Amino acid sequence: MKAVVYARYGPPEVLRLTDVDTPVPGDGQVLVKVHAVSVNASDWEVLRGKPLYARIGGPFRPRHHILGSDIAGRVASAGRNATLFRPGDDVFADIFSHMGGFAEYVCVPQTALAPMPAGLTYEQAAALPQAGAIAVQGIRDKGQVQPGQKVLINGGGGGSGMYAVQLAKLDGAEVTGVDNAEKLEFMRSLGADHVIDYAREDFTANGCGYDLILDLAAYRPAFAYRRSLRPGGRYLYVGGSVATLLQVLLIGPLIGRAERKRIRLLAVRLGVQHLDPLVELSQAGKITTVIDRRVPLSEVPAALRYLGEGHAKGKVVVTAG
Ligand SMILES: NC(=O)c1ccc[n+]([C@@H]2O[C@H](COP(=O)([O-])OP(=O)(O)OC[C@H]3O[C@@H](n4cnc5c(N)ncnc54)[C@H](OP(=O)(O)O)[C@@H]3O)[C@@H](O)[C@H]2O)c1
């Protein structure tokens, strides 16, 4: 089969489209023909080995040689003791823990798979898993957004931001989206009430207070986030610099206590089993998946660069054929 492989951390040029053996499903696994796989910021990070947390499990060389974690496709065959799905079933999954989606076929533990939601295309289903899990847990489970609250989504024009902005609006919040200048109109189109270009304005220094800051691109000191929270507010770190992550982990729980401000890491539980609310809202037409680009497997390196350099508005999806 064709796959996009790499053997060392680096820029997209280290990726090669090549022929490799089609994997054989092991015990409890299913072989899936990949029809669509979305590109995530985590692919970009694990490609380059930056930030350092992207090297967990592979400090010097990549642990997995084929990236791609959010897949949708059709079951081709099932291994021993894999009884939940049959050849021909349409499925989707988040396979972040073992990757392998930038390929024509991938073996997936049957427990990671779910039937494709009725009414969604392969592309829409592949766009949902990681970005959707971050949005649902960031806005609802951990963010606990209430009507009338002020919510700021830093990195609101990317994959997770696309769902987070829409969910926060549906839940009745007044939403501010922060991203680069190219994405301001996009965030408005998703429903953001206010937008900020991060190159022109530091949202932690503009005097506004928020009940929730969902931070998909965290590069500021934890004290700056504390300043931007209203009393009782929450700050959730999703991705960004290791320096900010360490501050959030080490001093976050202490520095906001007096004003009941919570500064925490959002440790996202990945897996399509966490997506039910978003799948239902998508099926009802209340949440839109915006697919910025569709590309073939041969264009994965360019697609990763496009996303990594901050041009993608919504999701980039790699499609078969
Ligand atoms: N915590 C967890 O358990 C967990 C689990 C899975 C993934 N993640 C992380 O989640 C993060 C976000 O994922 P995603 O899919 O939403 O990424 P994405 O699609 O790349 O979106 C991130 C957005 O942030 C923008 N951005 C970059 N620097 C910024 C800044 N200083 N201020 C404001 N916006 C900025 C980016 O645009 P520009 O590049 O143009 O600036 C981009 O639009 C990734 O870092 C990923 O590793 C965390």
Side-chain angles (χ1 to χ4, degrees):
M1 68 167 187
K2 296 260 181 257
V4 178
V5 302
Y6 78 132
R8 64 182 171 89
Y9 294 118
E13 289 70 32
V14 301
L15 294 164
R16 276 181 312 122
L17 177 68
T18 188
D19 289 309
V20 299
D21 291 339
T22 303
V24 177
D27 207 22
Q29 288 187 335
V30 161
L31 180 69
V32 177
K33 166 107 180 76
V34 180
H35 284 256
V37 49
S38 75
V39 181
N40 282 297
S42 52
D43 294 308
W44 174 245
E45 293 166 349
V46 180
L47 167 67
R48 298 183 315 141
K50 290 184 203 163
L52 267 185
Y53 60 66
R55 294 185 183 228
I56 291 173
F60 306 111
R61 289 182 176 279
R63 184 158 62 120
H64 306 292
H65 295 283
I66 304 176
L67 295 168
S69 62
D70 290 0
I71 59 150
R74 186 162 282 180
V75 172
S77 64
R80 241 173 9 110
N81 299 320
T83 52
L84 298 178
F85 297 94
R86 287 196 308 217
D89 287 350
D90 282 330
V91 289
F92 78 133
D94 180 339
I95 52 170
F96 182 70
S97 52
H98 39 278
M99 300 281 198
F102 294 151
E104 288 179 309
Y105 292 89
V106 63
C107 283
V108 182
Q110 63 170 356
T111 48
L113 290 168
M116 274 259 300
L120 298 195
T121 64
Y122 288 121
E123 295 169 12
Q124 289 167 327
L128 274 168
Q130 200 178 109
I134 291 172
V136 169
Q137 290 164 50
I139 298 297
R140 292 204 166 162
D141 305 352
K142 299 290 177 189
Q144 297 186 10
V145 169
Q146 304 297 321
Q149 285 191 332
K150 291 177 82 162
V151 172
L152 180 137
I153 297 162
N154 191 37
S160 315
M162 169 184 71
Y163 292 122
V165 168
Q166 295 182 76
L167 257 189
K169 278 306 292 176
L170 277 177
D171 290 350
E174 180 183 331
V175 177
T176 301
V178 184
D179 214 303
N180 69 43
E182 259 185 72
K183 299 183 185 175
L184 303 184
E185 259 326 296
F186 175 60
M187 292 189 292
R188 278 201 194 93
S189 74
L190 298 171
D193 301 286
H194 316 282
V195 293
I196 295 176
D197 171 357
Y198 70 79
R200 287 175 159 260
E201 184 180 331
D202 176 354
F203 75 85
T204 64
N206 64 7
C208 295
Y210 299 95
D211 299 292
L212 172 68
I213 298 173
L214 182 65
D215 203 348
L216 304 156
Y219 297 102
R220 293 186 175 79
F223 283 100
Y225 297 125
R226 180 183 68 169
R227 190 169 62 220
S228 297
L229 287 177
R230 286 174 154 181
R234 293 160 199 249
Y235 167 87
L236 295 172
Y237 174 107
V238 182
S241 78
V242 172
T244 302
L245 173 62
L246 289 175
Q247 287 188 26
V248 165
L249 290 174
L250 297 174
I251 59 170
L254 306 173
I255 61 174
R257 240 187 220 168
E259 294 174 288
R260 295 176 297 105
K261 295 178 178 178
R262 267 173 281 192
I263 298 170
R264 301 280 193 276
L265 164 70
L266 177 67
V268 181
R269 286 167 288 120
L270 295 173
V272 286
Q273 68 274 27
H274 304 298
L275 288 177
D276 290 353
L278 206 56
V279 166
E280 283 161 25
L281 289 166
S282 300
Q283 289 172 318
K286 293 183 176 165
I287 288 272
T288 307
T289 294
V290 179
I291 297 177
D292 177 311
R293 283 191 175 184
R294 296 163 173 82
V295 300
L297 210 47
S298 58
E299 287 177 28
V300 163
L304 279 161
R305 187 179 290 289
Y306 181 72
L307 176 110
E309 292 183 348
H311 305 299
K313 298 171 198 73
K315 297 292 290 186
V316 175
V317 178
V318 181
T319 55

